[in-house]
Amino acid sequence: MQLLGWVTAAAFAPPKAALEQDLLAGTLQAALDEMAKTYGLAPPKLPKTDLRALQIAHTSLFVSNPDGLPCPPYVGMALDERLFGLGFERLMALYRLAGLEVSPDWRDLPDHLAAVGEAIALLGEKPELARTLALEYLYPWLKRYAPVLQEADPTGFYSSIAVFLSKVLEEVNGETRAAQLP
């Protein structure tokens, strides 16, 4: 789960120099390859794109778009179709249960994809909470918005990661259900 969380946080945070370094060094691709190997999936091949193109795409997909925002980056939007709904409140309760606090340096809502990804990554010592966070919060967002990204992402970067993470969580969900059978 830690790798899944790190990839989510790295990919869906506003693109800055750290993402550019991860792309140039191949770190993000290596993480995707490792997850693919773990879950028996074909890894996505990230498209070659520069930081400026990612920034433009990120803004139009997740921040501001004159035609309407195709993919609000908040899990509450996938769960409740609004901000600060019941899904948001449940997420905050899960954060408290896990002992997580939102950093004062964080400048967005705590149900932003990057924040949820970071929380999943930080819960390495609490794998059941990480799994719950991934399946009950991240997975619904991916199921709802990965198809939208496939249509709207001009770079193919965000869509390839979202589709892949959705497949990973389908595998995790299947493992979870299989483990619950008598």
Side-chain angles (χ1 to χ4, degrees):
M1 284 291 121
Q2 285 180 302
L3 201 52
L4 179 132
W6 178 82
V7 166
T8 301
F12 292 103
K16 296 183 180 169
L19 176 61
E20 185 175 42
Q21 281 183 294
D22 288 337
L23 292 172
L24 291 173
T27 310
L28 188 55
Q29 185 65 58
L32 294 167
D33 293 346
E34 182 64 29
M35 276 195 296
K37 182 178 172 184
T38 299
Y39 292 101
L41 299 169
K45 294 298 175 206
L46 295 177
K48 301 288 184 205
T49 186
D50 65 17
L51 183 63
R52 182 73 179 132
L54 289 175
Q55 291 169 333
I56 292 167
H58 186 275
T59 299
S60 70
L61 293 167
F62 306 116
V63 179
S64 178
N65 189 317
D67 297 324
L69 198 59
C71 300
Y74 306 103
V75 298
M77 292 300 291
L79 296 170
D80 305 321
E81 297 187 11
R82 68 186 189 101
L83 297 175
F84 304 111
L86 182 59
F88 179 87
E89 294 302 322
R90 287 181 27 240
L91 177 65
M92 294 301 94
L94 181 65
Y95 281 176
R96 285 189 296 277
L97 177 67
L100 299 174
E101 296 179 12
V102 178
S103 169
D105 295 335
W106 180 247
R107 299 286 181 227
D108 211 322
L109 297 177
D111 68 334
H112 188 284
L113 289 175
V116 172
E118 189 170 327
I120 292 167
L122 289 171
L123 289 173
E125 300 295 320
K126 299 176 182 178
E128 287 307 312
L129 287 176
R131 182 181 299 266
T132 297
L133 189 53
L135 291 175
E136 293 183 17
Y137 297 93
L138 179 58
Y139 190 40
W141 189 93
L142 291 166
K143 284 188 354 184
R144 180 169 183 173
Y145 292 111
V148 176
L149 283 169
Q150 286 181 296
E151 296 292 322
D153 179 8
T155 65
F157 174 82
Y158 297 104
S159 59
S160 64
I161 291 175
V163 167
F164 177 72
L165 292 178
S166 185
K167 289 177 183 175
V168 167
L169 287 174
E170 285 171 12
E171 293 295 318
V172 171
N173 193 33
E175 290 173 3
T176 300
R177 280 184 285 172
Q180 294 170 346
L181 293 175

